[in-house]
């Protein structure tokens, strides 16, 4: 390690679920140690991506944009104000692993330990036109643009077709809430809801591919009862300004295309050419979530490709897994600092809550499936639980109450 610095740096790239957890836990573990904890992110807040589908479907006339932002943008000042974590707002231009430097758009940051947790971006799979003509749902700006576009469509048109590409978690959650938004906008503007078609395109044979049929069938029944149509075993093969192509043969007019069909890790310049990555640009990590050649470099969240020894498959790119990885990385950085053996990572338990419009959600675990109002209550409780892990009690409760006040208008 470098001995000529008064304090040594732990630099964390990204303030998402994984990065924030690493920073908070290390602030606790390294209290009193001669370490500077620096979190680098291009924004001054964490985007609570689990709430984006709700933010994108709040009725424009009832909820203004600044209130939508408050529901899903958690200021770093609120999270780290009482800790030793320093937040540096900037763009990461490259990572110099050999010399232990992060090059940003305004300064160079040396590090003794590096944590890469920059999250993911939408994966367009090379489908022609998809990146240009589709909306995605990964950022606050995405959510605002989608809700503005829906209002514009209903205001200017008497009929329209809206396509959601992907029937996984994001697509299923978004479809139900989007239907509610369409219903309210049509009522507000005096339009016939039946003339506004909402269609989900899914390449698998059902919603939520990979989950048991008793879960996907509940989701399908719920959405079908609302009037949301679906085409399964169907690939979206091209997108244009006002159309989509299905299975390369079927052309369909489309007024709005929202792509939720998959993600890939954010590429980190300098890192991606120095280490092995999988086909989704995730860095191949060792059992301790670090790199073999650079053991002081750890990777967490959507950037990490960790093969579960039980399933022999990469762990899923979910918020739950990212938080779990963040906890493990923080422990191992601390153990490395204190010259203790590192601990192998174990994937988090399988547990999902899938909201499907209104006060209805499905809780799925390996041994239990709970649907309906009980599932919805667990979904709301999960939000509160997360807020309590990153914010002081009063701020966590205030955010949760405000979120519920705004999102209940979507039901």
């Amino acid at each position: 390690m470098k001995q000529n610095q008064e304090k040594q740096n732990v630099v964390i790239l990204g303030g998402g679920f994984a990065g924030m957890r690493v920073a908070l836990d290390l602030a606790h573990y390294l209290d009193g140690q001669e370490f500077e904890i620096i979190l680098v992110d291009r924004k001054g807040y964490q985007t609570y991506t689990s709430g984006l589908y709700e933010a994108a479907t709040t009725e424009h006339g009832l909820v203004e944009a600044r209130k939508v932002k408050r529901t899903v943008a958690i200021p770093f000042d609120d999270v780290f104000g009482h800790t030793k974590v320093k937040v540096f707002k900037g763009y990461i231009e490259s990572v110099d692993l050999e010399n232990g430097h992060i090059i940003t758009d305004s300064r160079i940051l040396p590090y003794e330990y590096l944590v890469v947790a920059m999250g993911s971006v939408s994966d367009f799979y090379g489908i022609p036109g998809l990146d240009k003509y589709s909306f995605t749902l990964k950022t606050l700006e995405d959510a605002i643009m989608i809700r503005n576009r829906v209002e514009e469509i209903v205001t200017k048109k008497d009929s329209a077709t809206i396509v959601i590409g992907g029937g996984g978690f994001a697509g299923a959650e978004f479809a139900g809430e989007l239907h509610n938004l369409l219903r309210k906008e049509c009522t507000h503007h005096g339009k016939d809801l039946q003339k506004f078609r909402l269609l989900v395109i899914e390449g698998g044979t059902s919603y939520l591919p990979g989950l048991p049929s008793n879960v996907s069938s509940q989701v399908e029944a719920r959405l079908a009862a609302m009037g949301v149509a679906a085409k399964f075993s169907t690939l979206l093969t091209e997108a244009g300004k006002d159309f989509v192509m299905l299975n390369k043969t079927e052309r369909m007019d489309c007024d709005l295309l929202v792509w939720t069909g998959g993600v890939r890790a954010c590429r980190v310049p300098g890192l991606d050419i120095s280490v092995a990555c999988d086909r989704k640009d995730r860095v191949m990590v060792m059992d301790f979530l670090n790199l073999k050649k650079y053991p002081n470099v750890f990777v967490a969240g959507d950037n990490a490709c960790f093969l579960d020894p039980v399933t022999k498959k990469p762990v899923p790119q979910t918020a739950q897994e990212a938080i779990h990885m963040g906890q493990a990385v923080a422990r191992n950085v601390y153990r490395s600092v204190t010259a203790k053996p590192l601990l192998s990572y174990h994937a988090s338990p399988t547990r999902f809550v899938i909201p499907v419009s209104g006060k209805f959600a499905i809780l799925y675990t390996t041994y239990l499936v709970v649907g309906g109002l009980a599932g919805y209550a667990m979904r709301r409780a999960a939000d509160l639980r997360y807020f309590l892990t990153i914010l002081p009690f009063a701020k966590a409760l205030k955010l949760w109450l405000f979120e519920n006040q705004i999102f209940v208008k979507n039901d």
Side-chain angles (χ1 to χ4, degrees):
M1 290 186 181
K2 304 175 181 65
Q3 301 298 325
N4 60 340
Q5 290 179 222
E6 183 178 340
K7 285 193 174 184
Q8 301 178 78
N9 291 342
V10 179
V11 177
I12 302 164
L13 305 184
F17 290 107
M20 184 176 284
R21 189 69 263 156
V22 174
L24 285 170
D25 286 2
L26 279 179
H28 172 69
Y29 292 146
L30 297 178
D31 188 30
Q33 300 268 356
E34 289 300 308
F35 271 89
E36 202 87 84
I37 302 170
I38 304 171
L39 185 143
V40 184
D41 198 283
R42 62 189 180 90
K43 297 182 179 179
Y45 58 84
Q46 181 197 46
T47 302
Y48 187 56
T49 54
S50 299
L52 282 177
Y53 74 98
E54 291 267 23
T57 53
T58 55
E59 189 178 355
H60 196 278
L62 294 178
V63 184
E64 53 195 26
R66 64 182 180 86
K67 289 186 177 180
V68 172
K69 179 177 179 178
R70 285 175 56 193
T71 62
V72 293
I74 305 173
F76 289 138
D77 287 346
D78 288 351
V79 177
F80 300 118
H82 61 294
T83 74
K84 63 188 291 185
V85 176
K86 293 185 177 181
V87 177
F88 174 67
K89 190 175 180 180
Y91 289 82
I92 297 156
E93 294 186 350
S94 67
V95 175
D96 183 349
L97 295 176
E98 293 296 334
N99 296 300
H101 289 149
I102 303 299
I103 296 90
T104 75
D105 54 348
S106 60
R107 62 182 287 194
I108 296 175
L109 294 171
Y111 66 82
E112 277 64 43
Y113 291 93
L114 173 65
V115 179
V116 179
M118 293 178 61
S120 59
V121 295
S122 294
D123 192 345
F124 299 108
Y125 301 102
I127 299 172
L130 190 57
D131 59 340
K132 182 177 180 180
Y133 294 108
S134 70
F135 287 74
T136 58
L137 192 53
K138 292 290 291 178
T139 67
L140 169 65
E141 293 77 14
D142 291 339
I144 298 298
M145 286 192 296
I146 287 172
R147 79 175 198 139
N148 289 348
R149 177 57 180 153
V150 170
E151 186 194 33
E152 180 185 30
I153 288 172
V154 177
T155 301
K156 295 182 177 181
K157 295 176 176 288
D158 293 322
S159 63
T161 296
I162 297 176
V163 173
I164 298 175
F169 290 100
E173 293 170 3
F174 180 59
E177 294 301 334
L178 182 55
H179 173 270
N180 286 342
L181 176 61
L182 278 172
R183 174 172 51 81
K184 292 178 180 180
E185 291 289 357
C186 284
T187 299
H188 180 75
H189 293 284
K191 301 296 177 70
D192 183 359
L193 177 62
Q194 301 301 318
K195 294 183 179 179
F196 290 82
R197 185 187 185 199
L198 181 54
L199 174 66
V200 177
I201 304 297
E202 168 55 44
T205 57
S206 67
Y207 285 106
L208 309 176
L211 290 190
S213 59
N214 63 331
V215 177
S216 58
S217 61
Q218 286 190 61
V219 172
E220 182 174 358
R222 172 79 174 174
L223 292 176
M226 298 172 65
V228 178
K231 282 180 174 284
F232 300 116
S233 302
T234 301
L235 298 178
L236 198 158
T237 52
E238 185 182 347
K241 183 178 180 181
D242 54 6
F243 73 92
V244 292
M245 290 292 294
L246 307 179
N247 294 331
K248 297 185 178 180
T249 57
E250 180 183 353
R251 179 186 169 109
M252 176 184 295
D253 291 340
C254 177
D255 298 274
L256 170 63
L257 169 61
V258 180
W259 179 248
T260 66
V263 298
R264 65 190 308 107
C266 288
R267 302 189 72 172
V268 185
L271 182 69
D272 54 358
I273 62 173
S274 303
V275 298
C277 298
D278 74 350
R279 61 185 180 84
K280 284 186 169 288
D281 293 329
R282 293 176 293 190
V283 176
M284 307 297 295
V285 295
M286 296 198 300
D287 289 349
F288 311 124
L289 298 181
N290 61 350
L291 306 182
K292 184 176 183 179
K293 187 177 179 181
Y294 305 97
N296 63 325
V297 177
F298 293 80
V299 188
D302 289 354
N303 283 109
C305 182
F306 176 80
L307 297 178
D308 188 332
V310 177
T311 66
K312 308 300 181 184
K313 297 179 180 179
V315 296
Q317 291 170 287
T318 64
Q320 173 184 299
E321 200 69 53
I323 294 168
H324 195 58
M325 282 186 173
Q327 294 169 331
V329 165
R331 283 194 298 268
N332 276 340
V333 170
Y334 175 67
R335 293 180 74 86
S336 182
V337 167
T338 54
K340 296 178 181 178
L342 303 190
L343 302 176
S344 295
Y345 180 68
H346 298 282
S348 63
T350 301
R351 183 172 59 248
F352 302 108
V353 182
I354 309 110
V356 198
S357 178
K359 295 179 175 59
F360 183 98
I362 302 169
L363 168 69
Y364 168 75
T365 71
T366 306
Y367 307 104
L368 178 68
V369 177
V370 177
L373 184 60
Y376 171 81
M378 292 177 187
R379 174 66 176 83
R380 296 268 69 91
D383 281 358
L384 177 60
R385 180 176 179 273
Y386 177 69
F387 297 154
L388 288 170
T389 64
I390 64 170
L391 293 167
F393 178 82
K395 288 184 177 180
L397 184 60
K398 183 178 180 181
L399 173 59
W400 184 72
L401 292 173
F402 181 74
E403 177 198 64
N404 282 300
Q405 175 191 348
I406 297 300
F407 291 164
V408 74
K409 297 177 182 179
N410 294 350
D411 299 338

